[in-house]
Amino acid sequence: MTIDFQKTEENLIDGFKGGKGPFFSKLIDDGKVKIMYNRLPAGSTIGLHKHEGNCEVMYVTKGEITFICDGKEETAKTGEAHYCPDGHNHCAENRTDVDAEFFAIVPQTK
C-alpha cells in the first residue's frame, strides 16, 4: 500500500495533547497503526502524554525537535529519530525559529 502524503488532507490541531500553538498532521489510521506526516511550527509544542498500549517512532525530516522522554531531554535533528516505548511518556517542543517536520508511526502493542 502506497501512502501519498501530498494528497492527504492536512489537519490543524491547536494545543495538541495539551501543548501550545498550532500543530499540523496528515494522518492515516487503520485501527492498528497510525501513520502521520506532521509539521510543528516554530515555538509550538506537543503536550506531555503517556503511551499506553502503543509506542511511537518520530523521524525528523526537517529542522529539529526537543523531546522530553521520562524527564530526560534530547534533541533530534533532520535525519534522526526519537522513540517513546509503550508505558513511557514524552512531549515535544520546537524551540527554533523555523518549522520542523516529522514522520511518525504509532503501532498498537496490545
Side-chain angles (χ1 to χ4, degrees), residues 47-69:
L48 182 67
H49 60 282
K50 185 174 186 176
H51 282 268
E52 296 182 289
N54 61 39
C55 60
E56 184 169 19
V57 177
M58 302 167 78
Y59 178 79
V60 180
T61 59
K62 178 183 173 189
E64 67 179 54
I65 301 171
T66 299
F67 296 96
I68 302 169
C69 187

Side-chain angles (χ1 to χ4, degrees), residues 22-109:
F23 171 77
F24 298 89
S25 183
K26 296 179 178 191
L27 169 67
I28 305 297
D29 184 353
D30 71 358
K32 295 284 185 184
V33 64
K34 293 178 183 167
I35 303 169
M36 300 166 275
Y37 196 82
N38 302 310
R39 182 164 48 98
L40 189 62
S44 289
T45 69
I46 297 170
L48 182 67
H49 60 282
K50 185 174 186 176
H51 282 268
E52 296 182 289
N54 61 39
C55 60
E56 184 169 19
V57 177
M58 302 167 78
Y59 178 79
V60 180
T61 59
K62 178 183 173 189
E64 67 179 54
I65 301 171
T66 299
F67 296 96
I68 302 169
C69 187
D70 295 333
K72 181 181 176 190
E73 186 174 304
E74 60 189 23
T75 299
K77 298 177 183 176
T78 301
E80 297 178 335
H82 164 75
Y83 174 59
C84 184
D86 187 4
H88 296 261
N89 62 60
H90 69 157
C91 61
E93 302 176 358
N94 182 347
R95 297 177 179 174
T96 73
D97 60 357
V98 296
D99 290 1
E101 296 179 5
F102 63 97
F103 178 73
I105 299 175
V106 181
Q108 295 299 313
T109 56

